[in-house]
Amino acid sequence: MDEDNDVVMDGDTTAPAVTDAPSTTNGHPASESRVTSNGQSTEDDGGEEEEVGTASEHYPLEYLRRGLLPTGCCYDDRMKLHANADFGPNPHHPEDPSRIESIMNMFKRARLIYTGNDSELVQIVKQTPTKYMWRIAAREATEEEICLVHHPDHFNWVKALATKPTEELRRMSAILDQGRDSLYVGSMTYNAALISAGGAIETCKAVVSGTCKNAFAVIRPPGHHAESNTPMGFCLFNNVPIAARVMQADFPDTCRKVMILDWDVHHGNGIQNMFYDDPNILYISIHVYQDGHFYPGRPENSLTPDGGMEHCGTGPGQGKNVNIGWHDQGMGDGEYMAAFQKIVMPIAQEFDPDFVIISAGFDAAAGDELGGCFVTPACYAHMTHMLMSLANGRLAVCLEGGYNLEAISNSALAVARTLMGEPPPQLKIPKISKEAAKVLAKCQAYQAPHWQCMRPGIVDVQEMQALGSLRLHDVIRKAQRQILTQKYNMLPLYIQRDTLFKSFEDQVLVTRGIHSAKKLVVVIHDPPELHGQPDPLDNTLEPHNSWVTDGVMQYIEWATGKGFAVMDINVPHYITHSEDTVSFTPKADAKTLESQIQELMCYVWDNYLQLYEHAEDIFLIGVGNAYIGVKVLLINRDVKSRISGCVNFVTENLRPVKSDVDQELSSWYKENSRVYVTTDHAVWSDAELTRRVLKRRFGTVIRSDVSGLANMMTAHASDAQAWILERVTEDGQGDTTEDETRMV
């Protein structure tokens, strides 16, 4: 065993032995010998050795303020003995023994851990006791401690691994390392798991007892997936819950409320389920959820909660479970800092914990292939720094996942430096993605009933419904209908199909006499744009500080003035349901929107437009996301001979019009369309994308000089309207065939 293995403190300062834990050397009992401040055992025979031992037991009085206490570090080489029974010369598994060794080597290279001579330790303790991390001796957790959160049968299952032959362990690993279990076992798994759990306990105890101001437990195997009665996800015993329960039992007066922040990229299902009804344990997890498809996924028992945001705890523990489940991988500093600022820290401050534990998986770090996210070491440092402001600084960090050795080492180093008092590095926070912002808003809405800090700006939908309130988009559409009825004598078009009628009641309006009109404009558009200036003090929004911008009205006014009949189709971003209770509802995704519009457009064509025998010219105008209605109609119905042209205004996705059945459709669309695209669209920033959208299937694409739907519709009104008039069949040519009067 090398020289570092039996050193309790490997740094330039020395760690006093935890007063209520037996002295150990690298986790082993030290019999009658005393442990020195660097972990070397020495017989009680006086002399210089006696002085070094005494120094470790009596911390300098002038440093007893918590801010001047050292940062602890717990590590034990024996945890590397947990290995797959089916071992080989190459790294055998992502949860590799070298993970913890890599972190400790990084700490040593950065001189956070003392590696010098014992003779210097006394002066270090006296003069600069916080210069290095103080080593905390790991030990094996007891069965009694583990069974505070685990069932005895589970403990006995893990214990029995130590007595099984290698061949059986290999067979077990081959079976267990599949699916949701995702686990391997070896002959030393039980011993390593005991030391990992014991290391978490001693790390937390060093902080809660006041020996260290904070501490980092470099431990494995990890724990946060292990359920009370089963191991899974590389985890045997759930280290952090065990340590939390021991702290509550041993320090009932000073450690009653515990906060666990889990920033591992995978949801800590085990921790959640162990404390789901506990009012004194706040569990917050920031993880990739992917609608339940990302590991650990949904449990087999549908009654068991997963990592979805709607799972907030039960009984007295309601609100003490907070899941910030990202919609996808790829999250980075912007998203994680926003989660901390908007949700984690406000809830944590309102909870006011006595002690904070970080379940510190570093698999969301940039470079980790399993996590697929981009959190930088600087971001981990800032998150740690924010958590240090809680519980009078009593914070313990316990390693969970993280499988890229470079990423995990750099991230752990940033956290350790912050724990020791270094300010976090300057961090330029990138913009948060729109989808991630929706996730945070939705999480706030779910937590609003339980936390005062989550309520500003969160609407109680049930209360609104009880008061007879209406969603604003319904009010706006009613106002539009009133205006269109008064000014242009428009009426709602009856839709006989039940599902469509409920969804699009009052959404389709037509001018009188449309069935006999020769010229017809069909406008398929998004709802009007809303603009508001909230009160900077209380975030309230008053009607007089709000505006509605509707770029469609000018086209309806122009069309009716030129003798066109008009069909106005408003496509809401969301269909109101009476049973809605969530305050924030994202607009329909592209797939759902396309399905809804396709059904509507095909119904309108089949039952109305194609039956208008007098219509010689039908023009389609698509506005915003709703312009997908133009695409689905062209693809799903043979309408080329009836459509005189298409005008679209696009700010988001450009939709190709291509049919496997009609090979000429793309060419026809190119010749009979004008597609105005906002000037700040992503296609203009990439030469390859620009080249692609100029192909036939995207139509005649025109880059606008302005951005925003209303701005584009106003800026290009004259051009678009003139283009439509040029294509109208002239009077007196009604007997001419369509092939002669219109390009098909």
Side-chain angles (χ1 to χ4, degrees):
M1 189 173 288
D2 72 36
E3 183 177 334
D4 290 334
N5 290 344
D6 57 357
V7 177
V8 179
M9 175 188 168
D10 256 352
D12 207 337
T13 16
T14 59
V18 180
T19 56
D20 49 359
S23 296
T24 64
T25 58
N26 199 24
H28 295 287
S31 303
E32 300 298 323
S33 61
R34 176 182 295 130
V35 178
T36 67
S37 56
N38 74 337
Q40 300 285 2
S41 63
T42 161
E43 298 300 325
D44 189 11
D45 58 356
E48 183 67 19
E49 301 290 354
E50 173 80 9
E51 183 179 350
V52 174
T54 303
S56 71
E57 295 170 3
H58 299 287
Y59 192 83
L61 293 177
E62 63 269 27
Y63 291 105
L64 285 182
R65 293 200 339 253
R66 172 163 288 276
L68 299 177
L69 290 174
T71 292
C73 179
C74 182
Y75 172 81
D76 194 305
D77 263 346
R78 291 175 295 166
M79 289 182 285
K80 291 160 55 180
L81 297 176
H82 166 55
N84 197 332
D86 193 12
F87 57 88
N90 299 317
H92 63 292
H93 195 278
E95 207 291 283
D96 187 83
S98 59
R99 294 171 59 244
I100 57 173
E101 182 180 39
S102 177
I103 292 174
M104 283 303 291
N105 287 338
M106 177 63 80
F107 286 179
K108 293 173 184 178
R109 289 195 299 270
R111 293 185 58 78
L112 304 189
I113 298 291
Y114 180 65
T115 57
N117 297 322
D118 289 352
S119 59
E120 302 175 10
L121 290 175
V122 174
Q123 292 304 312
I124 290 171
V125 171
K126 289 182 177 179
Q127 297 176 5
T128 56
T130 61
K131 185 177 180 181
Y132 299 95
M133 301 178 83
W134 287 41
R135 291 292 296 277
I136 299 168
R139 63 169 175 84
E140 293 184 351
T142 67
E143 179 178 355
E144 180 183 6
E145 290 170 332
I146 291 173
C147 288
L148 289 172
V149 298
H150 286 289
H151 194 279
D153 289 346
H154 173 70
F155 176 84
N156 291 329
W157 185 90
V158 180
K159 182 179 180 180
L161 297 174
T163 61
K164 293 184 182 298
T166 301
E167 285 303 316
E168 184 176 352
L169 291 171
R170 288 178 177 177
R171 286 195 298 270
M172 291 178 64
S173 292
I175 296 171
L176 291 171
D177 200 19
Q178 303 293 326
R180 198 166 187 259
D181 286 340
S182 192
L183 185 75
Y184 69 82
V185 294
S187 59
M188 296 299 292
T189 292
Y190 170 62
N191 304 84
L194 289 179
I195 296 169
S196 183
I201 293 171
E202 289 304 311
T203 299
C204 293
K205 189 174 290 185
V207 177
V208 175
S209 66
T211 302
C212 298
K213 64 179 178 182
N214 50 48
F216 198 133
V218 185
I219 55 177
R220 69 173 291 272
H224 73 150
H225 292 308
E227 298 281 3
S228 60
N229 59 353
T230 185
M232 62 175 284
F234 312 162
C235 305
L236 283 302
F237 296 137
N238 210 324
N239 305 316
V240 168
I242 293 170
R245 282 289 188 240
V246 172
M247 295 308 103
Q248 288 179 319
D250 290 356
F251 303 92
D253 296 329
T254 57
C255 191
R256 184 175 65 88
K257 295 195 298 180
V258 178
M259 171 183 168
I260 300 171
L261 186 283
D262 188 342
W263 66 39
D264 190 290
V265 79
H266 303 96
H267 178 242
N269 55 287
I271 303 179
Q272 169 179 278
N273 295 333
M274 288 172 178
F275 299 130
Y276 203 59
D277 61 353
D278 193 323
N280 292 318
I281 300 283
L282 170 63
Y283 177 63
I284 303 179
S285 176
I286 311 175
H287 56 273
V288 174
Y289 183 56
Q290 280 185 344
D291 196 28
H293 298 295
F294 197 75
Y295 190 87
R298 293 190 173 94
E300 294 180 1
N301 184 348
S302 60
L303 298 179
T304 302
D306 66 356
M309 287 177 284
E310 69 274 18
H311 299 300
C312 305
T314 188
Q318 283 193 346
K320 302 306 188 296
N321 195 85
V322 182
N323 284 325
I324 305 172
W326 301 124
H327 61 289
D328 205 351
Q329 295 171 280
M331 301 299 104
D333 293 356
E335 288 76 20
Y336 274 74
M337 290 298 289
F340 258 69
Q341 293 166 352
K342 293 178 178 293
I343 297 175
V344 175
M345 292 309 297
I347 289 179
Q349 288 161 349
E350 187 172 333
F351 179 67
D352 191 22
D354 301 316
F355 180 47
V356 179
I357 308 175
I358 302 177
S359 279
F362 293 106
D363 39 8
D368 191 290
E369 297 83 359
L370 287 182
C373 290
F374 303 99
V375 181
T376 65
C379 184
Y380 281 117
H382 278 270
M383 292 190 293
T384 302
H385 192 256
M386 284 187 271
L387 293 172
M388 289 169 64
S389 67
L390 304 168
N392 197 26
R394 287 188 288 268
L395 173 65
V397 180
C398 294
L399 183 65
E400 295 285 359
Y403 308 103
N404 179 296
L405 298 185
E406 181 179 0
I408 194 176
S409 301
N410 289 329
S411 301
L413 176 63
V415 170
R417 281 177 163 161
T418 304
L419 292 174
M420 294 180 72
E422 292 188 27
Q426 186 173 355
L427 178 65
K428 184 176 182 180
I429 303 176
K431 290 183 178 179
I432 183 174
S433 72
K434 289 183 179 179
E435 292 302 316
K438 293 176 184 177
V439 168
L440 297 181
K442 196 169 185 179
C443 183
Q444 284 178 303
Y446 277 118
Q447 294 298 329
H450 313 296
W451 301 100
Q452 184 69 36
C453 61
M454 293 291 102
R455 288 172 197 154
I458 300 297
V459 177
D460 187 331
V461 177
Q462 291 178 321
E463 180 182 348
M464 294 296 102
Q465 291 173 338
L467 295 173
S469 303
L470 299 174
R471 287 188 181 264
L472 187 57
H473 74 158
D474 293 327
V475 175
I476 292 173
R477 186 54 180 174
K478 290 181 185 298
Q480 282 183 311
R481 174 183 172 179
Q482 184 176 358
I483 293 171
L484 293 173
T485 299
Q486 291 177 349
K487 294 186 68 174
Y488 311 112
N489 208 20
M490 296 181 74
L491 300 170
L493 187 71
Y494 181 67
I495 299 175
Q496 195 165 4
R497 196 170 299 171
D498 286 344
T499 303
L500 278 177
F501 177 75
K502 292 177 182 177
S503 300
F504 292 97
E505 181 184 8
D506 287 341
Q507 306 295 350
V508 183
L509 303 176
V510 296
T511 51
R512 292 181 183 273
I514 190 172
H515 62 282
S516 59
K518 290 186 176 182
K519 301 183 296 183
L520 176 61
V521 170
V522 181
V523 188
I524 312 115
H525 61 88
D526 286 352
E529 296 175 324
L530 301 181
H531 308 275
Q533 183 61 58
D535 188 303
L537 296 179
D538 59 12
N539 206 39
T540 56
L541 186 62
E542 299 292 343
H544 65 274
N545 289 321
S546 307
W547 294 264
V548 177
T549 305
D550 188 356
V552 172
M553 286 293 186
Q554 59 186 313
Y555 284 77
I556 295 176
E557 183 173 357
W558 167 82
T560 55
K562 294 295 182 179
F564 286 85
V566 176
M567 178 181 289
D568 176 84
I569 303 176
N570 179 71
V571 181
H573 291 156
Y574 173 74
I575 306 300
T576 301
H577 303 289
S578 59
E579 64 272 16
D580 291 341
T581 58
V582 179
S583 60
F584 176 80
T585 303
K587 63 184 179 182
D589 58 69
K591 186 176 181 180
T592 302
L593 181 68
E594 182 169 349
S595 175
Q596 291 176 343
I597 296 180
Q598 178 175 322
E599 186 179 10
L600 174 66
M601 293 302 298
C602 291
Y603 178 89
V604 169
W605 179 264
D606 294 341
N607 293 277
Y608 293 99
L609 292 175
Q610 76 165 347
L611 302 179
Y612 295 160
E613 298 178 352
H614 299 283
E616 298 176 358
D617 295 287
I618 300 176
F619 291 91
L620 304 178
I621 299 178
V623 181
N625 284 326
Y627 108 91
I628 196 174
V630 174
K631 168 190 170 179
V632 296
L633 181 60
L634 294 176
I635 292 175
N636 290 280
R637 294 293 185 270
D638 184 11
V639 300
K640 298 198 308 292
S641 62
R642 301 291 306 279
I643 303 297
S644 298
C646 308
V647 176
N648 298 316
F649 297 92
V650 184
T651 56
E652 297 192 31
N653 293 340
L654 272 164
R655 312 284 182 179
V657 174
K658 184 179 180 181
S659 172
D660 295 331
V661 177
D662 185 352
Q663 300 298 323
E664 300 300 319
L665 180 59
S666 294
S667 297
W668 178 91
Y669 184 56
K670 179 76 172 180
E671 296 169 355
N672 292 274
S673 68
R674 291 179 81 78
V675 183
Y676 299 96
V677 180
T678 180
T679 188
D680 55 359
H681 198 284
V683 299
W684 308 125
S685 61
D686 186 291
E688 176 59 23
L689 287 177
T690 303
R691 185 188 65 80
R692 285 176 55 194
V693 301
L694 295 179
K695 292 183 176 180
R696 293 178 302 174
R697 62 180 179 269
F698 289 98
T700 301
V701 176
I702 301 170
R703 182 174 185 175
S704 175
D705 295 328
V706 298
S707 60
L709 284 175
N711 289 334
M712 277 201 300
M713 296 186 77
T714 300
H716 300 287
S718 299
D719 179 54
Q721 292 162 7
W723 183 82
I724 290 174
L725 291 176
E726 289 173 2
R727 305 175 71 82
V728 173
T729 303
E730 296 181 7
D731 293 340
Q733 293 183 344
D735 295 331
T736 312
T737 64
E738 289 172 338
D739 288 339
E740 293 172 329
T741 59
R742 185 181 301 116
M743 289 185 293
V744 178

